[in-house]
Amino acid sequence: QSALTQPASVSGSPGQSITIPCTGTSSDIGAYDYVSWYQHHPGEAPKLMIFEVSKRPSRVSSRFSGSKSGNMASLTISGLQAGDDGDYYCTSYRDTNTVVFGGGTKLTVL
Amino acid sequence: QVQLVESGGGVVQPGTSLRLSCAASGFTFSGYSMHWVRQAPGKGLEWVAVISFDGNIKYYADSVKGRFTISRDDSKNTLGLQMNSLRADDTAVYFCARSSGYYKKGILDHWGQGTLVTVSS
């Protein structure tokens, strides 16, 4: 099971916006609107940030947004803050009745 | 509040078995599908398995299919993961996570802190 493709790292300065792409295939991202994004700080439980491509849990800041086009999904964080740093993972349902994660992207707030 | 607490991790030899548990509280456990996700040292998150709210549907990652079995005991609000024929590459922190809505949506809205499994001779 190959993972979804994410860049290993991205960075931005406080106040800037960044976008993390997540590339899949026509068997996962391209076929279903079941894309989620998670923030993970090592040693802690991962935190759901976006689900069903673009929906936000009520406790997540509106600075976080998600989108999808074809086989690629994206997470955008606007107005970067120091606490936004960490590892971000995309996931999607795949037509083999499995859930697949992206390789993860380390966000550094400069 | 929702709580998920994993237990059962430890150091085991290759080829042996281990059973993980996840104690759930703060919600109606029987109404939710549940997942196991793992993270090997220095690696990213990897989905392991899912069990539907009624226990009738179980799916596994190819890497564990035939060796791992996911289960649930709604009377004890407990999720289980029986791991057999363990290999070095099963070494990871194992997280249990609650699935919100239809299991295919993969909306893991609450996670435990994880339990470490080390497979080494």
Side-chain angles (χ1 to χ4, degrees):
Chain A
Q1 277 166 312
S2 55
L4 304 175
T5 301
Q6 299 179 232
S9 63
V10 296
S11 62
S13 300
Q16 288 186 329
S17 294
I18 63 95
T19 296
I20 300 174
C22 171
T23 303
T25 69
S26 57
S27 296
D28 38 65
I29 292 177
Y32 306 94
D33 286 337
Y34 295 158
V35 177
S36 297
W37 289 88
Y38 300 87
Q39 178 192 58
H40 187 211
H41 292 118
E44 300 180 8
K47 178 183 175 184
L48 176 67
M49 306 302 287
I50 296 288
F51 64 97
E52 292 182 43
V53 178
S54 59
K55 299 178 181 178
R56 268 182 300 107
S58 57
R59 53 171 173 69
V60 173
S61 168
S62 58
R63 298 184 298 105
F64 290 81
S65 62
S67 64
K68 187 187 93 166
S69 178
N71 296 339
M72 190 173 80
S74 297
L75 173 70
T76 297
I77 309 173
S78 59
L80 270 179
Q81 299 178 359
D84 296 335
D85 64 355
D87 299 322
Y88 288 83
Y89 295 89
C90 58
T91 70
S92 175
Y93 175 75
R94 180 171 280 177
D95 63 6
T96 49
N97 286 313
T98 58
V99 174
V100 60
F101 275 79
T105 297
K106 182 178 180 62
L107 169 62
T108 301
V109 180
L110 303 171
Chain B
Q1 73 282 20
V2 173
Q3 266 202 313
L4 298 169
V5 180
E6 302 91 341
S7 62
V11 181
V12 296
Q13 293 191 331
T16 62
S17 299
L18 197 64
R19 180 176 179 81
L20 304 183
S21 294
C22 170
S25 61
F27 66 102
T28 305
F29 181 70
S30 60
Y32 289 84
S33 298
M34 299 292 294
H35 296 253
W36 286 100
V37 175
R38 68 185 181 182
Q39 184 175 35
K43 303 293 186 181
L45 297 173
E46 178 190 16
W47 179 79
V48 173
V50 62
I51 185 167
S52 61
F53 72 97
D54 58 5
N56 289 335
I57 295 173
K58 302 175 185 180
Y59 291 119
Y60 302 89
D62 287 347
S63 57
V64 307
K65 197 176 299 181
R67 301 186 300 122
F68 289 13
T69 301
I70 190 171
S71 63
R72 63 188 303 150
D73 184 342
D74 290 348
S75 69
K76 297 180 179 179
N77 290 344
T78 300
L79 175 72
L81 185 68
Q82 178 66 40
M83 304 185 294
N84 298 333
S85 302
L86 282 163
R87 310 184 304 220
D89 62 359
D90 293 318
T91 294
V93 174
Y94 285 74
F95 299 95
C96 66
R98 188 182 82 167
S99 185
S100 176
Y102 187 36
Y103 76 90
K104 287 187 178 183
K105 294 188 176 183
I107 304 171
L108 308 184
D109 64 349
H110 289 276
W111 297 60
Q113 293 291 327
T115 186
L116 176 62
V117 174
T118 303
V119 184
S120 174
S121 55

